[in-house]
Amino acid sequence: MVAPTLSKHLRGWQRWLEFSRCCGVAPCSPSPSALLDFAIALAAGARLDRGRGRVAAAKGVLSALRFAAHKLGLTGLADSLASPVLESWQASDKWSAVCPKEAYPLPLWVVAKLEIAFLECGNEDAWLLGCMLLMIWGGLRWSDVQRLQLATLTIDKSSLRARCWRTKTCPSGLTFGVLFCGVTQRNWGSIFAQLLDQLRSRYPLRDFLLDRQG
């Protein structure tokens, strides 16, 4: 009969062997970077797993490796487990770190469809689609583009530049630029720049872009 502690260590050792086999790593003398990759994979699995004690179980796998390195005399494994890069990673509490919630990027074919729709639709729809393309190519959020100073708008043959007086990431404001060509090479930006220039001529002091609902 296998003791509970030894059984737990064996399960952790088997997980390491499986990882080593899949990644082509020498399990008895791995590099510190390979062990770091393993620890990152364990932490990611703990975040996706359900139930209590999942982080402790993930940490227990590295304890199993230390147990095996000591009992089997695996000096290469022991040295990598004691490496500064792995110890600093564990000390920074990466086990329970939460991945940032960011929106997935739009596929280029979606952006291409938006550019085509902008060039083929009516004026009101073109204004909304143009604002969306401005945000996409300028790296702006919806709240950023609503703080755009029209007086700072600069237009040349191939691009436009302007300044948002406040953004989520920069409270003091930032300058951005957009090339006209886009992904379809049909210069959607030159047409939208004309709309922006017309808006600036009518409201030179306006510091937002959209003013209607619906």
Side-chain angles (χ1 to χ4, degrees):
M1 181 176 179
V2 180
T5 301
L6 182 57
S7 176
K8 180 180 66 175
H9 287 326
L10 284 175
R11 288 195 298 270
W13 177 250
Q14 289 169 351
R15 293 179 70 176
W16 166 241
L17 291 180
E18 180 65 18
F19 178 87
S20 301
R21 184 185 63 81
C22 293
C23 298
V25 174
C28 297
S29 57
S31 65
S33 61
L35 273 175
L36 182 60
D37 288 340
F38 182 57
I40 292 172
L42 288 172
R47 286 193 295 268
L48 297 175
D49 196 6
R50 295 181 179 181
R52 299 176 60 183
R54 55 189 183 274
V55 173
K59 291 180 178 180
V61 176
L62 292 186
S63 297
L65 297 190
R66 293 187 178 91
F67 175 84
H70 173 69
K71 292 296 183 181
L72 301 177
L74 304 176
T75 56
L77 178 60
D79 291 342
S80 293
L81 286 167
S83 65
V85 62
L86 189 62
E87 289 186 344
S88 63
W89 185 87
Q90 294 182 89
S92 61
D93 196 25
K94 296 291 186 180
W95 294 106
S96 55
V98 179
C99 296
K101 295 182 179 179
E102 295 289 345
Y104 291 106
L106 290 174
L108 280 180
W109 69 268
V110 173
V111 181
K113 292 293 186 181
L114 287 174
E115 291 181 3
I116 294 171
F118 167 78
L119 295 169
E120 296 178 352
C121 66
N123 289 336
E124 187 166 350
D125 289 338
W127 180 248
L128 179 59
L129 290 172
C131 291
M132 293 173 63
L133 289 168
L134 184 70
M135 288 186 286
I136 291 170
W137 288 115
L140 303 174
R141 294 174 173 84
W142 183 266
S143 59
D144 299 342
V145 84
Q146 281 297 81
R147 294 174 173 85
L148 189 151
Q149 290 178 313
L150 292 178
T152 64
L153 186 64
T154 302
I155 301 171
D156 57 30
K157 293 182 179 180
S158 61
S159 65
L160 68 84
R161 296 173 299 281
R163 183 177 185 275
C164 295
W165 51 270
R166 182 182 178 88
T167 69
K168 181 179 179 180
T169 56
C170 188
S172 60
L174 62 81
T175 302
F176 70 94
V178 173
L179 294 175
F180 289 161
C181 57
V183 70
T184 59
Q185 300 293 313
R186 296 174 63 177
N187 290 321
W188 72 271
S190 61
I191 299 175
F192 188 64
Q194 295 175 16
L195 298 178
L196 286 175
D197 193 35
Q198 294 170 8
L199 182 65
R200 179 178 58 178
S201 299
R202 294 172 57 192
Y203 308 104
L205 300 180
R206 182 161 161 172
D207 61 357
F208 60 94
L209 206 54
L210 301 175
D211 64 347
R212 284 180 289 183
Q213 301 291 328

